[in-house]
Amino acid sequence: MKGITGWKRKGVQRRWLQSYAIMLLIPIIMMTATYMQTRRVIEAEIYRANSALLSQLQREIDNYMNYTYQLAEIITFNSKVASIMRNQKELGWSERVFMVEALADFKSYNIAKRNVDHFYIYFHGGDFLLTDNAYYTSELYNTFFLEPAGVSLNNWKNVLSQEHRGKFYSQREFTGGTGGGLIYVQSIAVQERGISPATLVIELNQQRLLSSIRNIQSYNEGNVYILDGSNRLLVSSEGEGAENRSFDILQEQSGHTDTISAQWDGEDVVLSYIQSNQSNWKYVYVLPEHLYSEKAEYVRNLTFLMVTVTIIVGLLLAVLLAKRNYHPLQRLIRNVAERRKQELLPEPQANEYDYLEEALDNALDHNNLMNRTIEKQQQMLRSNLLVRLLKGKLQIGFPLQEVISEYGIRLHTEDFAVLLFYLEDYSGFFRQDEQDEEKKREFVQLIITNIVEELAGQQHQGWMTEVDEMLACIVNFRPDTSPEAAAEDLRRLAEEAQRFIGNRFHILFTVSISTIHRSAASLPAAYQEALEAMEYRILMGDRTIIWHDRIKHQELSYSYPLEKEQQMINHVSAGDFLHARQTLNEIIDVNLGQENIPVDMIRCLMFDMCSTMMKAAMEANLEHAELYEENREAIRELLNGSTVSAMRERMTLFLQKMCLHVEERRKNHKFRLKESIQAYIADNYQDHNLSVGTISEHFDVHPSYVSRYFKEQAGDNLTDYMNKYRIEQSKALLLKEEILIKDISDMVGFYSISTFIRLFKKYEGITPSAYRENGKYVDQSGT
């Protein structure tokens, strides 16, 4: 059929073959990585082994030296040796007795000959020696021991006649012979500078020393060198030619131990060394680079062979698997094409999977689109249903049980209650530089929704929704729950939500609770009860729990005598803040002291007192616009449900400001910082990043101080002042119909249009679009 050949170049079979071939890179990369890691492991193992063996050799040599120092001290302080040294030129019978006794002592000192091969004392005045087992004249000792080793008698005597302060030498350096051991030389009883009566010579056990060195050589076939503190060669496993080696490279090393790769006497080597803290000697192990590389080369060759075999076998398998796996797909393509009654290849660039994808998309596209739309709107539809249920907007005969089951809601009983959550403050949960109020509010609502639903689900079940800028929770009680138990569970739910969310997230809110209703049809009544209870927030304060069944209504009256009003006005005019505040508190306390005074009456009282504030400002001849604006803000807060305690604080602050302005007028003092802040906001209100933080940084003051100072001086929270200023600037722009509301929101510095709309409605009472329509109507009427 047509299309099969068109898939040859970009077909699935070719892609499978390419994929299988690419998969071969995985073992190749792994083998390469294994080779590199193995090489590093070999290096690390060689370095570690060299360091361990050198450390062992260093401890053994240190033990030899300690033993040698102890033996030299014992021999030096031997009393018989001292007596022989005093009379060595004329030996009498007593001195010869001392010799015999000294020889006996010497044999006991080195009876094991483990660390020291032998030792002797050469007496310069008597020209004789006492070894650890016999007495010799210098000529006789030379005949037996020195001449076979190629040592000259005169050279030997010259070396012994020099002053030696306990120093180690190699045999070649000390005697000029052919030996390769270590010799310790110390002059005894130094009397005059450069002259001593005897010299002690201790030859270390050469076989044991060489055995320790060969232990290292047997591991990697390198050479071992022992150097003193001045890098002078003492012992070497190399044999002839070792004394010609240069160890200047070690002078550049400052560490106690290290392994380096370097070129040494024209040869690439790996050099490991360790330095003794006791003797300052260096123990050096030198391994030619080619000996070290043999193991790495073996691993590399083995890896290369395995990679080659893997590539050949992998390619063969890739071809076979690609052909085998393609046959079912080819049959499926032909079956689909026959059922769709069209060509196999509708587009030249398509491959088999593109063709199948198009076929499946066409068959399932409509169904998937509907499912995605329903799934996306599921939460919104559920929230809308709950709001309609609370407000009683469901039609008669609405199949509530069937509809709510589609949203995962299963009713336990017909017993319900409604809780309302009024957000008081959530500023403590966010940083000061976060400006998008809409997003912050949505996030806070999500937190409260999840936690309250989880708390309600512990005993019963609850569903949250947003309604009238509050959150409502419908609680459905489990069977056999008594009214008393239900009320107790509601109390625990509200208290636990306030405690947990307040402590963990610093989100504060007030809760109102309806009475328990016995059917879903009475949910609108429960919602109205919760709303009525929330109205009493103005009396009971914020962050409280208000029960509808505990609210009692009284007659509509409040106490606000004219003489009290005049007293407050007089105190303000005199600048007497203390008495003005006292009068304010008396008026509020008298009315709150009435038993169950209605909320509406308290609100009327607050409006009446706001009017008194304005009278006081006018009678005091105060012309500060911020005072009048603050009074307007107080009225807005009353309309928005501010509490009595909050209004008391606001009015107290308002009184204080008016009294301060009276004092300012008397003292003619200006608050320049406040004016500077206001000017800065006027210049930068269009900047989206304008915040308390940027303002405090500009004026070089702390954010908390500038917030507190501005509120004290202007009466407004600094953030509220910025938002009001931006809203005020947007009014003139809204009258220009050619500018979109979204662009106006951006021009006056808001992050999002939703925030702009919400704040405009908050401060002006209407939406921006309504304000624009009203302005348009006014213009037309004027025309």
Side-chain angles (χ1 to χ4, degrees):
M1 297 178 68
K2 179 184 176 183
I4 297 296
T5 57
W7 281 329
K8 295 291 186 179
R9 293 183 179 179
K10 298 184 180 180
V12 173
Q13 185 176 8
R14 183 180 181 86
R15 290 189 179 183
W16 280 347
L17 185 59
Q18 293 173 349
S19 300
Y20 295 150
I22 292 174
M23 289 178 63
L24 289 176
L25 294 176
I26 297 176
I28 294 173
I29 293 173
M30 293 180 62
M31 290 178 185
T32 304
T34 302
Y35 164 70
M36 299 300 296
Q37 185 63 25
T38 303
R39 184 181 180 89
R40 285 194 290 269
V41 168
I42 293 174
E43 291 179 0
E45 181 65 21
I46 291 175
Y47 294 165
R48 186 194 63 80
N50 291 348
S51 298
L53 292 172
L54 286 176
S55 179
Q56 179 181 352
L57 177 63
Q58 174 240 317
R59 289 193 295 271
E60 291 183 5
I61 300 299
D62 285 350
N63 291 335
Y64 294 165
M65 294 175 67
N66 290 335
Y67 180 81
T68 303
Y69 291 144
Q70 293 173 5
L71 180 61
E73 184 178 0
I74 293 173
I75 296 173
T76 301
F77 290 102
N78 190 293
S79 59
K80 288 99 174 172
V81 174
S83 299
I84 296 171
M85 283 193 299
R86 286 193 293 269
N87 302 302
Q88 58 180 298
K89 292 184 179 181
E90 296 180 1
L91 297 175
W93 64 270
S94 59
E95 284 72 19
R96 296 188 182 280
V97 172
F98 287 146
M99 284 185 183
V100 174
E101 293 177 352
L103 288 173
D105 291 343
F106 292 170
K107 289 181 180 180
S108 65
Y109 295 160
N110 196 31
I111 189 170
K113 293 183 178 293
R114 180 178 180 183
N115 296 327
V116 174
D117 193 9
H118 73 281
F119 63 86
Y120 60 85
I121 301 175
Y122 175 68
F123 297 88
H124 300 287
D127 194 25
F128 64 87
L129 296 87
L130 284 182
T131 68
D132 54 350
N133 55 19
Y135 163 86
Y136 294 95
T137 63
S138 60
E139 291 82 2
L140 185 63
Y141 188 82
N142 178 64
T143 302
F144 285 148
F145 299 103
L146 300 180
E147 283 184 359
V151 180
S152 169
L153 177 61
N154 292 331
N155 290 340
W156 176 65
K157 285 185 177 183
N158 288 335
V159 172
L160 291 178
S161 63
Q162 298 173 7
E163 181 180 349
H164 301 279
R165 296 184 178 272
K167 187 175 181 181
F168 284 90
Y169 298 89
S170 64
Q171 284 189 352
R172 292 186 180 90
E173 182 182 6
F174 180 68
T175 61
T178 59
L182 275 177
I183 296 177
Y184 176 79
V185 183
Q186 178 180 335
S187 299
I188 302 177
V190 178
Q191 294 175 342
E192 299 178 6
R193 184 174 179 81
I195 300 175
S196 59
T199 300
L200 171 64
V201 178
I202 301 176
E203 295 186 11
L204 272 64
N205 191 324
Q206 184 174 353
Q207 295 299 324
R208 183 176 175 82
L209 178 63
L210 293 177
S211 176
S212 299
I213 293 175
R214 290 191 189 98
N215 287 338
I216 300 180
Q217 284 185 291
S218 63
Y219 182 74
N220 273 329
E221 300 179 0
N223 290 320
V224 182
Y225 304 89
I226 302 177
L227 313 176
D228 63 5
S230 59
N231 291 335
R232 184 169 54 89
L233 181 64
L234 297 177
V235 181
S236 169
S237 64
E238 185 177 0
E240 297 295 334
E243 60 276 5
N244 297 325
R245 293 286 192 182
S246 172
F247 296 93
D248 295 339
I249 190 173
L250 295 176
Q251 295 178 355
E252 302 173 2
Q253 308 301 318
S254 58
H256 171 71
T257 179
D258 198 1
T259 299
I260 58 175
S261 296
Q263 193 172 55
W264 190 49
D265 290 346
E267 183 180 10
D268 293 329
V269 297
V270 177
L271 188 146
S272 301
Y273 74 92
I274 186 171
Q275 188 170 8
S276 172
N277 293 327
Q278 175 179 325
S279 62
N280 207 29
W281 286 11
K282 291 187 181 69
Y283 302 86
V284 183
Y285 181 69
V286 179
L287 178 67
E289 184 76 25
H290 68 87
L291 293 178
Y292 150 75
S293 301
E294 288 179 356
K295 298 179 180 179
E297 291 295 327
Y298 172 77
V299 174
R300 186 191 68 181
N301 294 335
L302 181 61
T303 303
F304 179 76
L305 177 61
M306 293 176 64
V307 168
T308 303
V309 173
T310 301
I311 292 174
I312 296 173
V313 175
L315 289 176
L316 293 175
L317 289 175
V319 173
L320 293 176
L321 290 176
K323 289 184 176 181
R324 178 180 178 183
N325 294 336
Y326 183 70
H327 289 158
L329 179 62
Q330 189 178 31
R331 290 196 301 270
L332 178 62
I333 292 290
R334 292 185 176 180
N335 290 336
V336 171
E338 290 175 357
R339 298 194 179 197
R340 295 184 69 192
K341 297 180 180 180
Q342 66 178 46
E343 299 292 340
L344 280 178
L345 190 61
E347 297 181 4
Q349 68 276 15
N351 60 30
E352 293 90 329
Y353 282 140
D354 294 331
Y355 178 77
L356 289 177
E357 182 180 3
E358 180 187 356
L360 291 174
D361 285 344
N362 292 335
L364 302 175
D365 189 42
H366 182 68
N367 187 41
N368 289 341
L369 181 60
M370 291 181 59
N371 291 337
R372 285 196 302 267
T373 303
I374 293 174
E375 183 179 355
K376 184 177 181 180
Q377 299 297 328
Q378 185 79 9
Q379 189 65 29
M380 184 180 298
L381 292 173
R382 173 190 157 179
S383 178
N384 183 57
L385 174 64
L386 294 177
V387 171
R388 292 168 59 198
L389 181 62
L390 288 173
K391 293 189 175 183
K393 294 183 178 181
L394 296 180
Q395 298 177 356
I396 299 176
F398 183 81
L400 181 63
Q401 292 285 353
E402 292 80 0
V403 174
I404 61 175
S405 63
E406 296 180 3
Y407 299 103
I409 299 176
R410 299 288 186 273
L411 300 181
H412 290 166
T413 62
E414 288 293 317
D415 296 339
F416 298 92
V418 175
L419 285 74
L420 283 183
F421 298 83
Y422 182 88
L423 289 176
E424 302 286 357
D425 181 30
Y426 48 83
S427 59
F429 183 61
F430 298 96
R431 300 191 306 268
Q432 290 186 351
D433 58 349
E434 296 185 69
Q435 299 293 324
D436 195 333
E437 290 293 333
E438 195 67 28
K439 288 185 178 179
K440 291 196 292 186
R441 187 176 182 86
E442 289 177 1
F443 189 43
V444 169
Q445 290 177 347
L446 177 63
I447 292 174
I448 297 177
T449 297
N450 291 337
I451 294 176
V452 172
E453 286 187 352
E454 182 177 350
L455 291 174
Q458 293 177 358
Q459 295 292 333
H460 309 285
Q461 59 180 346
W463 309 286
M464 296 282 290
T465 183
E466 181 184 4
V467 53
D468 296 334
E469 296 189 355
M470 292 184 288
L471 290 175
C473 179
I474 301 174
V475 178
N476 180 225
F477 299 97
R478 70 176 185 272
D480 302 327
T481 302
S482 65
E484 295 77 11
E488 179 62 21
D489 291 340
L490 291 175
R491 181 191 63 79
R492 281 200 299 266
L493 169 61
E495 290 179 353
E496 181 64 18
Q498 283 187 333
R499 183 195 63 79
F500 180 78
I501 298 175
N503 294 339
R504 179 67 63 87
F505 302 101
H506 306 288
I507 299 173
L508 308 178
F509 53 86
T510 299
V511 184
S512 64
I513 305 175
S514 73
T515 60
I516 300 173
H517 292 256
R518 299 299 179 181
S519 68
S522 60
L523 276 175
Y527 173 64
Q528 289 300 321
E529 290 179 357
L531 279 178
E532 292 177 7
M534 188 60 74
E535 288 290 329
Y536 278 78
R537 169 180 163 275
I538 189 173
L539 283 176
M540 304 184 67
D542 54 11
R543 290 172 281 175
T544 56
I545 300 175
I546 308 171
W547 298 80
H548 181 268
D549 57 359
R550 300 175 189 176
I551 298 173
K552 297 180 181 179
H553 299 280
Q554 298 291 328
E555 62 182 36
L556 304 177
S557 65
Y558 63 89
S559 174
Y560 190 23
L562 290 176
E563 59 270 18
K564 288 291 183 181
E565 180 182 27
Q566 190 59 45
Q567 284 180 10
M568 186 182 301
I569 293 174
N570 294 337
H571 291 322
V572 171
S573 299
D576 188 354
F577 168 66
L578 295 178
H579 287 90
R581 181 179 62 181
Q582 181 179 355
T583 303
L584 171 69
N585 291 334
E586 287 177 358
I587 296 170
I588 296 176
D589 292 339
V590 165
N591 285 277
L592 291 182
Q594 299 181 25
E595 184 178 359
N596 296 318
I597 186 170
V599 174
D600 292 339
M601 289 297 98
I602 291 296
R603 186 176 287 112
C604 290
L605 173 64
M606 293 293 106
F607 281 123
D608 207 354
M609 296 187 71
C610 288
S611 175
T612 300
M613 299 293 175
M614 293 300 297
K615 291 178 184 179
M618 288 186 291
E619 292 195 14
N621 294 322
L622 297 177
E623 299 178 355
H624 295 276
E626 63 267 20
L627 294 178
Y628 301 103
E629 180 61 31
E630 183 169 348
N631 209 31
R632 289 176 58 192
E633 181 61 28
I635 295 174
R636 290 194 190 98
E637 289 192 9
L638 272 174
L639 293 173
N640 291 330
S642 180
T643 64
V644 173
S645 60
M647 290 302 300
R648 186 200 296 258
E649 292 178 3
R650 174 172 281 279
M651 290 181 179
T652 302
L653 181 61
F654 187 59
L655 285 176
Q656 184 180 21
K657 287 184 178 180
M658 287 194 295
C659 293
L660 285 176
H661 281 303
V662 172
E663 292 295 324
E664 284 178 3
R665 188 175 58 188
R666 293 173 181 175
K667 299 179 181 179
N668 194 22
H669 178 72
K670 296 182 179 179
F671 295 93
R672 296 183 179 178
L673 178 58
K674 182 196 72 172
E675 296 172 354
S676 299
I677 292 174
Q678 289 174 334
Y680 182 78
I681 292 173
D683 293 338
N684 298 275
Y685 72 92
Q686 294 177 322
D687 185 1
H688 293 175
N689 296 319
L690 181 65
S691 64
V692 176
T694 58
I695 293 174
S696 62
E697 182 178 355
H698 177 77
F699 290 99
D700 196 21
V701 292
H702 196 275
S704 61
Y705 171 78
V706 75
S707 298
R708 185 173 64 254
Y709 172 83
F710 191 85
K711 185 171 180 63
E712 291 174 355
Q713 299 303 319
D716 266 337
N717 180 284
L718 185 52
T719 302
D720 285 341
Y721 179 84
M722 288 188 290
N723 289 334
K724 290 177 183 177
Y725 190 88
R726 284 167 167 164
I727 295 298
E728 195 64 30
Q729 298 304 313
S730 69
K731 290 180 181 178
L733 298 174
L734 285 170
L735 299 179
K736 300 178 181 180
E737 296 185 5
E738 66 274 11
I739 307 178
L740 297 177
I741 294 180
K742 179 180 182 301
D743 295 336
I744 294 175
S745 169
D746 185 67
M747 291 167 64
V748 296
F750 287 105
Y751 274 102
S752 65
I753 187 173
S754 59
T755 303
F756 171 60
I757 294 173
R758 185 175 60 79
L759 292 176
F760 195 95
K761 185 177 181 181
K762 174 182 177 182
Y763 295 126
E764 297 300 326
I766 58 175
T767 63
S769 58
Y771 182 86
R772 169 173 280 180
E773 289 297 324
N774 291 342
K776 179 180 178 182
Y777 174 76
V778 170
D779 289 344
Q780 291 175 351
S781 299
T783 303

